[in-house]
Amino acid sequence: MPSNFTPLLPSTPAFRSNLVRASAFNHNYLRDTFTLTTWLSIGAFLQVLLLFLPIRPTYTAAPVLVLLSWQVVDHLFMIVGIKEDIYQKRALKAKYTALYPDENGGFAKGEKRGTAPGGQRVVLGPLAPGYTAIANYAQEMMKELDAKAEEYRLLSFNFYANSGAHTTGSDLMTIYYFKDMEYVHKFANSEVHRNGWDWFNKHTKQYPHLGIMHELYQVPAGKWENIYINQEPILFATAQHRITDEDGSKKWASGIVDARGRLKASQVRLGLEEGEDAIGDNNAKGGSI
């Protein structure tokens, strides 16, 4: 892969699916449906039901003790290194930045890109009337994008919940990165997106508790930068780019490169536009960020 910088992740022949973490998203969404008090009450109720079983009352505490003991031992194993730390398994122990490679995998200049956050908030979450339908449409859209990433020039999408506004029932958001605004509109006019949009418009009055949103940003080339330190790749760092390798084969490449040296300062990372000579200036104004 021709490059002026040091890539930290290898290119792959296939697009790495963004749907593999959908199960984690669904798990967290279900947990966020009710408050902590409600979940504790549900657990206490189930515990009380055990008292009606033909067993010694002292045995009713066994499930809680076993689960709690396992969690403590499991985390101790991760702390001392007996078991792999699941919280750090995806983290890149490095200072890195995510650039936009050209069609051959090099990093000569910046590229403009489209970013489209989309979200929703639903009272009662998956238990709300109409939620299953709108969730299924959203799932079909994500499957379409994931399966046709090259056609739609999809770079990545990430799932998030707004945990700072509500104690439960958080707003859900998916952030999509596209190569250009043209492909955002192409997907918006696709059959799978129109189906979901038409369904929502048809049922707005029937399900007034269902809310959706989107924001759309077109970022000019050379007007963006990022930095990550000992961080699992998230947001634009998860982007995958279709390139032609030296042997002529088509591959998907990560834009993650070592951010030490020439790329250590924010001003330098912003100076990747063609014609600017900021690359290589280790003493860029503002220092290392």
Side-chain angles (χ1 to χ4, degrees), residues 18-40:
N18 289 275
L19 296 175
V20 293
R21 300 185 188 181
S23 59
F25 177 81
N26 292 333
H27 170 86
N28 291 325
Y29 182 47
L30 177 61
R31 183 178 59 186
D32 183 62
T33 300
F34 303 113
T35 64
L36 178 59
T37 301
T38 301
W39 281 117
L40 290 175

Side-chain angles (χ1 to χ4, degrees), residues 24 35 136 212:
T35 64
N136 288 340
I212 62 174

Side-chain angles (χ1 to χ4, degrees), residues 32 35 120-121 160-173:
D32 183 62
T35 64
Q120 63 178 17
R121 184 168 190 253
Y160 288 94
N162 179 12
S163 60
H166 310 281
T167 57
T168 188
S170 301
D171 303 274
L172 305 178
M173 181 171 66

Side-chain angles (χ1 to χ4, degrees), residues 146-181:
D146 202 72
K148 299 180 179 180
E150 184 174 6
E151 177 182 339
Y152 291 115
R153 300 300 193 273
L154 175 74
L155 304 178
S156 176
F157 58 83
N158 292 241
F159 305 102
Y160 288 94
N162 179 12
S163 60
H166 310 281
T167 57
T168 188
S170 301
D171 303 274
L172 305 178
M173 181 171 66
T174 307
I175 300 178
Y176 300 87
Y177 292 94
F178 293 84
K179 178 178 175 61
D180 206 337
M181 192 70 71

Side-chain angles (χ1 to χ4, degrees), residues 39-269:
W39 281 117
L40 290 175
S41 298
I42 293 174
F45 174 75
L46 295 176
Q47 188 71 29
V48 170
L49 290 181
L50 294 179
L51 295 174
F52 294 94
L53 296 179
I55 58 177
R56 293 179 58 181
T58 53
Y59 290 164
T60 60
V64 174
L65 293 176
V66 170
L67 288 174
L68 185 59
S69 298
W70 168 248
Q71 289 294 324
V72 171
V73 172
D74 186 56
H75 280 70
L76 284 175
F77 280 179
M78 287 189 282
I79 291 172
V80 301
I82 296 177
K83 177 184 176 181
E84 181 184 19
D85 188 341
I86 61 174
Y87 303 102
Q88 292 291 313
K89 63 185 301 183
R90 293 192 180 98
L92 292 181
K93 297 301 183 179
K95 180 179 181 180
Y96 63 91
T97 186
L99 304 180
Y100 200 114
D102 59 28
E103 61 182 12
N104 295 316
F107 300 96
K109 61 179 180 179
E111 290 280 354
K112 67 178 180 180
R113 55 188 170 90
T115 305
Q120 63 178 17
R121 184 168 190 253
V122 184
V123 179
L124 291 181
L127 302 180
Y131 172 83
T132 300
I134 197 172
N136 288 340
Y137 280 114
Q139 186 69 14
E140 289 303 312
M141 293 178 198
M142 287 185 282
K143 288 180 179 180
E144 172 86 358
L145 283 169
D146 202 72
K148 299 180 179 180
E150 184 174 6
E151 177 182 339
Y152 291 115
R153 300 300 193 273
L154 175 74
L155 304 178
S156 176
F157 58 83
N158 292 241
F159 305 102
Y160 288 94
N162 179 12
S163 60
H166 310 281
T167 57
T168 188
S170 301
D171 303 274
L172 305 178
M173 181 171 66
T174 307
I175 300 178
Y176 300 87
Y177 292 94
F178 293 84
K179 178 178 175 61
D180 206 337
M181 192 70 71
E182 169 190 351
Y183 302 104
V184 178
H185 293 303
K186 179 178 181 179
F187 175 69
N189 289 292
S190 66
E191 181 180 0
V192 66
H193 186 270
R194 291 302 315 178
N195 287 342
W197 182 236
D198 291 343
W199 181 91
F200 181 79
N201 286 332
K202 182 179 179 180
H203 295 85
T204 301
K205 293 183 178 180
Q206 181 180 356
Y207 303 123
H209 54 276
L210 296 180
I212 62 174
M213 55 75 68
H214 89 256
E215 296 180 1
L216 187 59
Y217 304 94
Q218 183 173 19
V219 185
K223 302 301 181 183
W224 54 275
E225 65 93 11
N226 51 65
I227 192 69
Y228 312 83
I229 302 176
N230 297 335
Q231 168 71 48
E232 175 182 347
I234 58 174
L235 298 171
F236 191 65
T238 64
Q240 302 172 68
H241 311 269
R242 193 63 162 160
I243 66 167
T244 302
D245 212 349
E246 293 177 330
D247 59 4
S249 61
K250 296 287 186 178
K251 291 185 177 181
W252 290 94
S254 167
I256 292 179
V257 299
D258 193 330
R260 296 173 297 177
R262 292 183 293 175
L263 293 174
K264 70 177 184 179
S266 175
Q267 287 80 359
V268 177
R269 294 191 297 273

